[in-house]
Amino acid sequence: MSRFSGFPAHIEKHVGRVRGAHSRMAGGRDRGYDLVYCDHPDGAHVTVLTSGLRDRTAGAPLPQELVCTLQADQELHARHLAGVIAELLTGSNSRVGYGALIMNDRVLLPESEIAGALAAPHPYLGDEFDVLLDDSGQPVLQLITLVPITRGEAQLVARYGRDALYDRWEQTGANLLDIHRPCTA
């Protein structure tokens, strides 16, 4: 039995039913991970996550998978954000930790101001979501949520730290699951 055998049940418990996946084969090559789609019970949100990235995150304290949750009608954007960042990590044989900024030099998601993501715990799910435990209660997998951010928000983090951005999000009531939200910086 794999130490990650509880991963599918963990995902379904926290973000909803797994609907399907895009194969790890892309353009005739094995990219090393699948993109998995989950429908939230509320019907208003979708989560796209990697499965298999954990085999490529050597050097991380825990193996990692990426998660992006957005409004249901923004599924293609969640897929794009999770896929682009997973490709970046696998291509550079890297990993990310909470607080990391992964930015593009221009808008990353069309029809939005989103230029990248902040690697973070999931902003709307409890702490029990972010780490998968094995049968003995030991942490075996870290789930890194990609929170879409604008260039201005990234500059705020670079200058004042991520707590300043979290404070701003709280002050403005920003909906972090909507890529069409205005910049809060």
Side-chain angles (χ1 to χ4, degrees), residues 111-170:
E111 304 165 10
S112 78
E113 295 181 52
I114 303 302
L118 174 67
H122 199 288
Y124 298 109
L125 299 175
D127 293 340
E128 66 276 359
F129 170 72
D130 299 314
V131 176
L132 173 69
L133 304 176
D134 66 13
D135 292 337
S136 66
Q138 295 300 307
V140 294
L141 180 69
Q142 184 178 29
L143 299 171
I144 304 287
T145 298
L146 303 173
V147 179
I149 62 171
T150 66
R151 177 139 324 275
E153 290 168 337
Q155 291 169 346
L156 182 70
V157 170
R159 179 171 284 150
Y160 300 108
R162 68 181 174 193
D163 287 344
L165 179 58
Y166 281 104
D167 289 345
R168 189 71 57 92
W169 282 340
E170 189 174 324

Side-chain angles (χ1 to χ4, degrees), residues 56-58 84-96 102:
R56 297 176 163 249
T57 50
V84 164
I85 294 174
E87 283 297 309
L88 175 72
L89 295 177
T90 58
S92 63
N93 209 17
S94 301
R95 69 238 184 270
V96 295
I102 305 115

Side-chain angles (χ1 to χ4, degrees), residues 1-89:
M1 181 183 243
S2 164
R3 65 188 183 136
F4 305 112
S5 61
F7 185 47
H10 180 83
I11 292 302
E12 289 196 344
K13 173 183 175 185
H14 293 283
V15 297
R17 183 182 59 82
V18 172
R19 174 175 18 106
H22 270 95
S23 170
R24 60 191 308 140
M25 297 303 291
R29 70 176 180 84
D30 182 354
R31 65 179 174 207
Y33 59 88
D34 295 313
L35 290 174
V36 178
Y37 299 85
C38 301
D39 294 319
H40 291 238
D42 65 8
H45 300 96
V46 64
T47 292
V48 177
L49 62 122
T50 60
S51 180
L53 192 64
R54 60 187 169 263
D55 299 329
R56 297 176 163 249
T57 50
L62 285 174
Q64 299 174 337
E65 296 291 353
L66 302 176
V67 174
C68 184
T69 301
L70 293 177
Q71 294 179 0
D73 65 343
Q74 297 171 13
E75 178 178 309
L76 291 177
H77 297 293
R79 174 185 171 200
H80 182 72
L81 194 61
V84 164
I85 294 174
E87 283 297 309
L88 175 72
L89 295 177

